[in-house]
Amino acid sequence: MIWWAILAACAGCYALKLAGLAVPASVLARPWVARVADLIPVALLSALVAVQVMAGTDAQGDQVLVVDARLAGLGCAVVLLLARAPFLVVVVGSAALAALLRAL
């Protein structure tokens, strides 16, 4: 059963990709379409990060907002990025802070 769901999801993703290729070039050349297309990946990745950092479950298994070491690590990463630190420093620094807070 699960393999049929995976195959259906693969076919749906491929059909969506083909649909994107079928959009006429005149539509894609519009400035607001290009602007939206540029911002969609940023919005999707931001939403993914927010869900991974602040989502959790309670004792009953319900979804709840969680503030823990992951959020501190994300905050550390933001500060390091604003300070224009190298990417490796951002990753290691935020991971080290999150690990330190979890160890406490």
Side-chain angles (χ1 to χ4, degrees), residues 62-99:
D62 297 328
Q63 294 275 334
V64 294
L65 285 177
V66 176
V67 176
D68 60 4
R70 296 176 295 174
L71 188 59
L74 178 63
C76 177
V78 168
V79 169
L80 290 173
L81 285 172
L82 290 175
R84 297 191 183 272
F87 182 70
L88 187 59
V89 173
V90 172
V91 171
V92 171
S94 60
L97 178 64

Side-chain angles (χ1 to χ4, degrees), residues 26-101:
S26 62
V27 172
L28 296 176
R30 296 179 185 163
W32 67 272
V33 173
R35 178 86 173 133
V36 168
D38 287 344
L39 293 177
I40 283 176
V42 175
L44 289 174
L45 288 175
S46 299
L48 180 63
V49 167
V51 168
Q52 291 297 316
V53 168
M54 294 186 283
T57 57
D58 61 2
Q60 288 81 27
D62 297 328
Q63 294 275 334
V64 294
L65 285 177
V66 176
V67 176
D68 60 4
R70 296 176 295 174
L71 188 59
L74 178 63
C76 177
V78 168
V79 169
L80 290 173
L81 285 172
L82 290 175
R84 297 191 183 272
F87 182 70
L88 187 59
V89 173
V90 172
V91 171
V92 171
S94 60
L97 178 64
L100 179 67
L101 290 176

